[in-house]
Amino acid sequence: MKRSIPGDSKEVASSTEKRQRSPSFHQPSDVLHLNVGGTLTAVLRRTLTSIEGSMLASRFSGRWDDSLEKDRDGNFFIDQPIDLFQPMINYLRAKACETTLAPPVSSPAFDDARKLKDFVRMVEYFGMTAGIYPTELELCRGEISAAKISGHPHLGVISSEYATFTLETRGHKRPIRSFSVILGDVEKIEIGLVRTNHFVKKLRKG
């Protein structure tokens, strides 16, 4: 009769495999090897998951690694052109080391209008629009100490005094065509669209 000995090498190997398959085993520092439309590249897991709430972040969270499409060598397969996917990854890498002392990271730009449309379509597909083309709220009139502004993915503001805020783009010139507002406990509010360039300058001086 064969007895199972605690610490047996087979049991240890089995335990290791189970831990590796567990979502909690995966780390943001994992290096993921991708096959993007036939081109091999390597990306940190935390880069792919940096836009909270996106499909890309969910897909590479580690929870679905066993069920994701892979090529014959085990690389995660992404069925997108590398010349569209790589600029998005490079942008996320740049955002990861962005500082307040440097200009904002610019969103990917393309001279070819058709390629830009394809890029935007891909970004939308992966749920990355708010991360690749970010917007932010800026205080233009009022006391800074009385306002608390939160960024993506829960863009919002709490102000204990009457103040003026503008919704602006950061690192790109893609126009804001629409927005929605959810009101909490508000005594007075005015919402509208303005041409910000001249208007905001006047508010900042006033």
Side-chain angles (χ1 to χ4, degrees), residues 68-85:
L68 292 177
E69 298 90 344
K70 300 180 181 68
D71 65 14
R72 61 184 179 185
D73 296 319
N75 302 301
F76 293 106
F77 185 75
I78 296 179
D79 196 17
Q80 296 290 337
I82 188 65
D83 58 345
L84 296 181
F85 193 80

Side-chain angles (χ1 to χ4, degrees), residues 153-172:
H154 305 295
L155 197 64
V157 61
I158 298 175
S159 181
S160 59
E161 298 180 5
Y162 189 76
T164 301
F165 302 87
T166 56
L167 180 63
E168 301 183 8
T169 60
R170 180 175 176 81
H172 66 95

Side-chain angles (χ1 to χ4, degrees), residues 98-159:
E98 185 178 33
T99 69
T100 56
L101 300 178
V105 177
S106 297
S107 303
F110 300 87
D111 294 329
D112 188 325
R114 181 174 180 178
K115 183 173 287 189
L116 175 59
K117 290 181 180 179
D118 290 340
F119 178 78
V120 171
R121 187 181 300 112
M122 181 192 70
V123 169
E124 293 278 0
Y125 171 75
F126 284 121
M128 303 281 284
T129 303
I132 303 301
Y133 297 105
T135 55
E136 62 181 14
L137 285 166
E138 184 172 340
L139 176 66
C140 294
R141 177 182 291 163
E143 294 296 327
I144 296 178
S145 59
K148 180 180 179 182
I149 299 176
S150 56
H152 177 78
H154 305 295
L155 197 64
V157 61
I158 298 175
S159 181

Side-chain angles (χ1 to χ4, degrees), residues 41-118:
T41 187
V43 186
L44 286 174
R45 188 184 297 277
R46 65 169 166 259
T47 300
L48 293 174
T49 60
S50 58
I51 305 302
E52 183 182 343
S54 68
M55 182 211 291
L56 198 67
S58 175
R59 179 176 292 187
F60 289 100
S61 63
R63 185 176 182 181
W64 314 109
D65 283 7
D66 289 342
S67 60
L68 292 177
E69 298 90 344
K70 300 180 181 68
D71 65 14
R72 61 184 179 185
D73 296 319
N75 302 301
F76 293 106
F77 185 75
I78 296 179
D79 196 17
Q80 296 290 337
I82 188 65
D83 58 345
L84 296 181
F85 193 80
Q86 193 65 58
M88 182 174 70
I89 295 303
N90 289 341
Y91 173 82
L92 296 177
R93 287 169 171 162
K95 288 289 289 184
C97 55
E98 185 178 33
T99 69
T100 56
L101 300 178
V105 177
S106 297
S107 303
F110 300 87
D111 294 329
D112 188 325
R114 181 174 180 178
K115 183 173 287 189
L116 175 59
K117 290 181 180 179
D118 290 340

Side-chain angles (χ1 to χ4, degrees), residues 173-184:
K173 296 181 180 179
R174 191 182 184 195
I176 301 173
R177 301 189 183 280
S178 64
F179 61 89
S180 60
V181 178
I182 300 176
L183 300 178

